Amino acid sequence: METAPHVTSETTGTDSATQLPPGQAVGHEHEQRLHRRHRGRMLGGVAAGLADYFDVDPVLVRVGFVVLALVGGLAVPLYLAGWALIPDEDTDTSIAEEILARERPHGAY
């Protein structure tokens, strides 16, 4: 049984899958970060931010929170933790980091 030889194409030396958008340097690909979103938020933006991060519909995340609330009440502490620990989309620091920075005297650590 014969197999076909491997065919390679060397037209431009670049692969269209590895080309970056204009103005974006190599090694600085768009990093998707977890954040609380303003657009489409219902309460604190936690579900919308998680949906953005995992690239799913925010309704699915909200339904997951409702199911967790009904099953064992775990949704409320998880949502509050997400609200405190996940930064808002406009900032790089979370609410918990801001509170700790205010409480800790400068130079203490």
Side-chain angles (χ1 to χ4, degrees):
M1 185 186 293
E2 290 184 36
T3 59
H6 182 67
V7 179
T8 59
S9 172
E10 296 184 24
T11 56
T12 62
T14 61
D15 184 8
S16 63
T18 60
Q19 291 179 350
L20 297 173
Q24 190 171 2
V26 175
H28 295 287
E29 291 81 17
H30 176 69
E31 293 181 21
Q32 185 175 7
R33 67 182 190 101
L34 184 57
H35 64 275
R36 290 182 296 117
R37 193 172 80 178
H38 288 288
R39 184 178 40 85
R41 94 177 2 178
M42 292 283 198
L43 294 175
V46 175
L50 286 170
D52 274 352
Y53 187 76
F54 291 111
D55 197 28
V56 296
D57 190 355
V59 173
L60 294 175
V61 179
R62 291 178 183 126
V63 167
F65 274 118
V66 169
V67 168
L68 284 174
L70 295 175
V71 169
L74 191 59
V76 173
L78 284 178
Y79 194 91
L80 291 174
W83 176 76
L85 298 174
I86 299 172
D88 202 23
E89 67 183 338
D90 297 335
T91 65
D92 289 332
T93 59
S94 68
I95 293 171
E97 288 174 315
E98 291 173 5
I99 292 171
L100 289 175
R102 264 189 266 142
E103 296 296 323
R104 183 179 58 206
H106 296 291
Y109 295 103

